[in-house]
Amino acid sequence: MSKLLDQAVAELAKLPGVGKRTALRLAIHLLRREKEDVALLAESLQRFRNDIRYCRYCNNLSDEEVCPICADGRRDRTTVCVVEHVKDVISIENTRQYNGMYHVLGGIISPMQGISPSDLKIDLLLENIARGEIREVILALNTSVEGETTTFYITRRLADCTGIRVTSLARGIGFGDELDYADDLTIAHALHNRTVIGQ
Amino acid sequence: MSKLLDQAVAELAKLPGVGKRTALRLAIHLLRREKEDVALLAESLQRFRNDIRYCRYCNNLSDEEVCPICADGRRDRTTVCVVEHVKDVISIENTRQYNGMYHVLGGIISPMQGISPSDLKIDLLLENIARGEIREVILALNTSVEGETTTFYITRRLADCTGIRVTSLARGIGFGDELDYADDLTIAHALHNRTVIGQ
């Protein structure tokens, strides 16, 4: 019907979770927006893709060579929290409960997807630790088989580093979760690592 | 954390049905795509918004002054199907059961949303009819209150046009719909306009 429409729909449909029907709806929506607004959307996507950098210390997304967290002198440089992705940094920052540093692996060890330890920023983590400031490494990876494998691999790599405490996130029942919907492993963990709340 | 990321997420989150979390997921996804791919997406959206036109006869989206359907000499020029939106044209074309022309109103009469008849391409429809080729006007609007109002309004405007048959889509039980889930009005319509299938 219209090549311009077809192209816009085809490109939008390449986004994850966007089917042909949603792509068409998004394209039609763009017609109702000002031309300047659509230009702003298009430019911000392209600028993001072309100009974004990865922090040379923590591999987090950054506009500069060093990300704002690594550049922030008020943060606790003795603790580093190792995460899989940038979005995990955002999740943890949103809690406002953590004031240490981060280290973004950029993925997780997955033989199925052909991701080996050398594809991840593990050497960079060891370099950072070698500088001597870090006292605790929090491994905040997912509980999937790949996550556990990665946790195990990094723990082994850190075995030679003396004076470094390696921890992982507490496993237990999430707030708002119902006990009868939690899986056996989670309940077993929660029971084993139960917290004292009174004498 | 990163202004480039924040801007991309903010722009993506303006799309309908895209929240902050989805916008972040889409932005992160773009990092895994080639720069050229993201440029192609950005350009196709901007080109679509800037260069798309509306057919001077039927108000359908078009790359040229006249859309491919209106320009197609093999289509039946005696029948025009009046629809609300471009996506309705696509829905009907996908059936491959209709070979007539279309007329895209560009909306529906809605006092609640401040859309009056003058905001729709109704005068253009009457101009097209005045050229004398059209014998049937199919009103293919939704069954909402606004749709019925628009159907009623156009029917009244067409009352003076002699020799024009005005029809609407058949109302009934959709294929795959279950009778006990259909609403009373649909069942009543379907019963009233029942079809003979044997002697």
Side-chain angles (χ1 to χ4, degrees):
Chain A
M1 199 163 78
S2 152
K3 274 185 187 160
L4 290 168
L5 175 66
D6 287 349
Q7 278 162 9
V9 169
E11 288 299 327
L12 285 167
K14 287 180 191 167
L15 294 171
V18 177
K20 282 258 166 187
R21 206 176 264 264
T22 306
L24 179 64
R25 195 165 54 83
L26 293 177
I28 300 285
H29 159 86
L30 291 179
L31 289 180
R32 274 185 241 130
R33 299 262 295 273
E34 295 296 325
K35 285 183 184 179
E36 291 71 29
D37 282 351
V38 177
L40 211 63
L41 166 67
E43 280 158 20
S44 70
L45 296 185
Q46 245 186 307
R47 224 167 339 113
F48 170 62
R49 180 64 187 88
N50 291 340
D51 299 345
I52 199 80
R53 299 164 74 171
Y54 295 88
C55 174
R56 59 176 290 189
Y57 295 118
C58 73
N59 192 39
N60 192 3
L61 288 186
S62 175
D63 297 347
E64 313 290 338
E65 200 186 346
V66 177
C67 79
I69 294 175
C70 285
D72 187 348
R74 290 162 304 178
R75 297 198 67 126
D76 173 15
R77 286 171 189 277
T78 66
T79 310
V80 63
C81 181
V82 178
V83 296
E84 185 179 341
H85 279 308
V86 175
K87 56 186 179 207
D88 301 323
V89 175
I90 297 171
S91 295
I92 295 174
E93 281 297 283
N94 283 344
T95 68
R96 296 167 185 274
Q97 298 293 314
Y98 180 69
N99 193 40
M101 315 305 282
Y102 289 98
H103 192 86
V104 180
L105 292 177
I108 208 158
I109 299 170
S110 171
M112 290 288 281
Q113 289 178 54
I115 303 170
S116 74
S118 61
D119 297 318
L120 309 178
K121 295 285 177 185
I122 296 172
D123 288 341
L124 182 63
L125 173 66
L126 290 163
E127 282 171 35
N128 290 339
I129 290 171
R131 275 201 301 279
E133 274 187 305
I134 295 165
R135 297 267 70 87
E136 177 173 355
V137 177
I138 305 170
L139 295 173
L141 303 173
N142 287 323
T143 39
S144 58
V145 174
E146 289 90 352
E148 299 286 1
T149 305
T150 312
T151 296
F152 178 73
Y153 178 85
I154 295 176
T155 309
R156 224 181 45 187
R157 288 283 300 270
L158 294 175
D160 300 336
C161 308
T162 47
I164 302 278
R165 198 156 74 117
V166 181
T167 57
S168 77
L169 292 185
R171 307 293 175 200
I173 315 292
F175 282 98
D177 281 4
E178 301 211 26
L179 208 59
D180 54 346
Y181 281 98
D183 61 297
D184 295 350
L185 202 63
T186 300
I187 297 176
H189 259 276
L191 206 59
H192 191 252
N193 299 308
R194 61 193 178 277
T195 321
V196 178
I197 52 171
Q199 287 304 332
Chain B
M1 199 163 78
S2 152
K3 274 185 187 160
L4 290 169
L5 176 66
D6 288 349
Q7 277 162 9
V9 169
E11 288 299 327
L12 285 167
K14 287 181 190 168
L15 294 173
V18 177
K20 282 257 166 188
R21 205 175 265 265
T22 307
L24 179 64
R25 194 165 54 84
L26 293 177
I28 300 286
H29 159 85
L30 291 179
L31 290 180
R32 273 184 242 130
R33 298 262 296 272
E34 295 296 325
K35 286 184 184 179
E36 292 71 28
D37 282 352
V38 177
L40 211 64
L41 166 67
E43 281 158 20
S44 70
L45 295 185
Q46 246 187 306
R47 226 170 333 117
F48 170 62
R49 180 64 187 89
N50 291 340
D51 299 345
I52 199 80
R53 300 164 75 172
Y54 295 90
C55 173
R56 58 176 291 189
Y57 294 117
C58 74
N59 192 40
N60 193 2
L61 288 185
S62 175
D63 297 346
E64 313 289 337
E65 200 186 348
V66 176
C67 79
I69 294 175
C70 285
D72 187 346
R74 289 162 304 178
R75 295 197 70 125
D76 173 16
R77 287 170 190 277
T78 65
T79 309
V80 61
C81 181
V82 178
V83 296
E84 186 179 340
H85 279 308
V86 176
K87 57 187 177 207
D88 301 322
V89 174
I90 297 171
S91 296
I92 296 175
E93 281 296 284
N94 282 344
T95 68
R96 297 168 186 271
Q97 297 293 313
Y98 180 68
N99 193 40
M101 315 305 283
Y102 289 97
H103 192 85
V104 179
L105 292 177
I108 208 159
I109 299 171
S110 169
M112 291 287 281
Q113 289 179 54
I115 304 171
S116 72
S118 61
D119 296 318
L120 308 177
K121 294 286 177 183
I122 296 172
D123 288 342
L124 182 63
L125 174 65
L126 289 165
E127 280 170 36
N128 290 339
I129 290 170
R131 275 201 302 278
E133 274 188 305
I134 296 165
R135 297 268 69 88
E136 179 172 354
V137 177
I138 304 170
L139 295 173
L141 303 172
N142 286 324
T143 39
S144 59
V145 175
E146 289 89 352
E148 299 286 0
T149 305
T150 311
T151 297
F152 179 73
Y153 178 85
I154 296 177
T155 308
R156 223 181 46 186
R157 288 283 300 270
L158 294 175
D160 300 337
C161 308
T162 47
I164 302 278
R165 200 155 74 119
V166 181
T167 58
S168 77
L169 292 185
R171 306 294 175 199
I173 315 292
F175 281 97
D177 282 2
E178 302 212 25
L179 208 59
D180 53 346
Y181 282 98
D183 60 297
D184 295 350
L185 202 63
T186 300
I187 297 177
H189 259 278
L191 206 58
H192 191 254
N193 299 307
R194 61 193 179 277
T195 321
V196 179
I197 51 169
Q199 286 305 333

